[in-house]
Amino acid sequence: MLDPNSPKPLYLQLKEKIRNAIETGEWKPDTKIPSERDLCKQYNVSRITVRQAISEAENEGLLYKIQGKGTFVKAPKIEQGLMKITSFGNTLRNSGLNGRTEIIKSEIMPVNFQLSNILRVDMTEHVVNLRLLGLANEEPIVHYDSYFTHEIGVKMLEAAQKNAKAGIPFSTYDLYGQLNIGADTVSQTFEAINCDAEMARILKVKKGTALLVVTSIVNNHDGKPIEYKTAMYKADKYKFHITRSM
């Protein structure tokens, strides 16, 4: 119950009860919370107090409302640090989520001028394109579009097919470790975009939904590029964090 003698207002005490119900798993993600009347009765408080508590919980990203349907528990975002590369498989495991990866497309193709410059390969060579879809609890949350030098790409494709068949969550970073390929450094850029019709269909969101886009160039120990990748993350499912010195 709530403590009416506490210096902390009742609505803030109730907000903490809401947080605890979510963090302990009593209230599951994307499920409807009890009605205002039920919360009033359960905690012996006024409807105004309940509404204030729900509003505070919404502001903190714990709850969300759907017009005409009610208030629901918001699934926590997947956190990923920027100081060290974390693979998709490890990210899900660290977040306590089940997942898998699908192969959307794979092909061996002639290199174009842009890829020739990025991967430092001759215009007469071929590259391997591998597009992956990462799912968490059967919801698509990230799309990877990778291009590899031919020798490495063929190995990556074979490994990707084995992992996808086994239902294992993976990104190309997982495959580097499995194949013992010496990926050493990654250069990355981050930006926000509104998704187009094709990506909306793949990620099962509305056209124009905000996405976080991370573009990466992976280099081997000799500093030679071996992968050029664009990863598109659902902005409502991911957040990245970093600690910087002043």
Side-chain angles (χ1 to χ4, degrees):
M1 296 298 293
L2 307 183
D3 182 3
N5 298 315
S6 170
K8 180 180 289 189
L10 290 175
Y11 76 91
L12 290 180
Q13 293 183 51
L14 181 53
K15 182 203 68 176
E16 291 307 313
K17 294 287 186 182
I18 291 172
R19 179 191 297 278
N20 185 66
I22 294 171
E23 291 179 348
T24 60
E26 180 183 348
W27 291 5
K28 305 296 183 184
D30 298 316
T31 59
K32 191 174 180 179
I33 71 170
S35 67
E36 290 182 359
R37 177 178 296 180
D38 289 340
L39 290 172
C40 288
K41 185 180 297 185
Q42 181 179 351
Y43 292 101
N44 193 29
V45 292
S46 69
R47 184 159 290 190
I48 292 176
T49 297
V50 169
R51 287 177 179 172
Q52 284 181 301
I54 290 174
S55 177
E56 287 288 325
E58 279 187 86
N59 291 338
E60 292 189 16
L62 299 172
L63 304 173
Y64 67 95
K65 286 184 178 178
I66 299 179
Q67 190 67 32
K69 293 187 177 181
T71 304
F72 297 79
V73 177
K74 191 170 186 179
K77 288 191 176 184
I78 299 169
E79 292 196 40
Q80 190 165 309
L82 296 178
M83 292 297 292
K84 182 176 176 62
I85 294 295
T86 306
S87 68
F88 181 64
N90 284 333
T91 296
L92 291 190
R93 283 188 286 273
N94 293 340
S95 302
L97 296 169
N98 296 316
R100 60 188 179 87
T101 300
E102 294 179 357
I103 298 176
I104 300 297
K105 180 182 178 182
S106 62
E107 67 172 327
I108 298 174
M109 55 183 282
V111 69
N112 59 32
F113 184 74
Q114 180 189 22
L115 291 173
S116 173
N117 282 334
I118 293 173
L119 295 174
R120 300 182 200 167
V121 298
D122 192 88
M123 286 293 294
T124 60
E125 297 187 31
H126 285 68
V127 293
V128 175
N129 178 217
L130 180 60
R131 292 177 62 183
L132 304 173
L133 181 65
L135 300 97
N137 295 340
E138 291 305 307
E139 178 185 355
I141 59 173
V142 58
H143 174 269
Y144 301 107
D145 188 7
S146 295
Y147 293 87
F148 305 92
T149 54
H150 184 267
E151 181 181 357
I152 288 178
V154 171
K155 297 176 182 177
M156 296 290 278
L157 175 55
E158 183 179 353
Q161 290 170 336
K162 289 180 180 178
N163 281 265
K165 187 176 181 180
I168 298 172
F170 67 93
S171 64
T172 56
Y173 298 137
D174 293 283
L175 302 183
Y176 284 127
Q178 293 174 20
L179 295 171
N180 198 28
I181 293 175
D184 187 52
T185 61
V186 183
S187 300
Q188 296 183 307
T189 60
F190 296 77
E191 62 181 322
I193 67 164
N194 295 321
C195 71
D196 58 20
E198 180 191 13
M199 199 51 55
R201 176 184 59 80
I202 292 172
L203 291 174
K204 296 182 180 180
V205 295
K206 292 181 180 179
K207 181 181 177 181
T209 296
L211 301 178
L212 297 172
V213 182
V214 181
T215 303
S216 306
I217 299 176
V218 181
N219 304 290
N220 64 15
H221 295 296
D222 296 324
K224 185 183 186 306
I226 54 177
E227 179 187 5
Y228 172 63
K229 174 167 63 181
T230 302
M232 296 191 177
Y233 299 87
K234 282 185 176 178
D236 65 334
K237 298 298 180 183
Y238 269 86
K239 63 179 177 181
F240 296 90
H241 61 86
I242 187 172
T243 300
R244 295 179 176 177
S245 58
M246 296 293 290

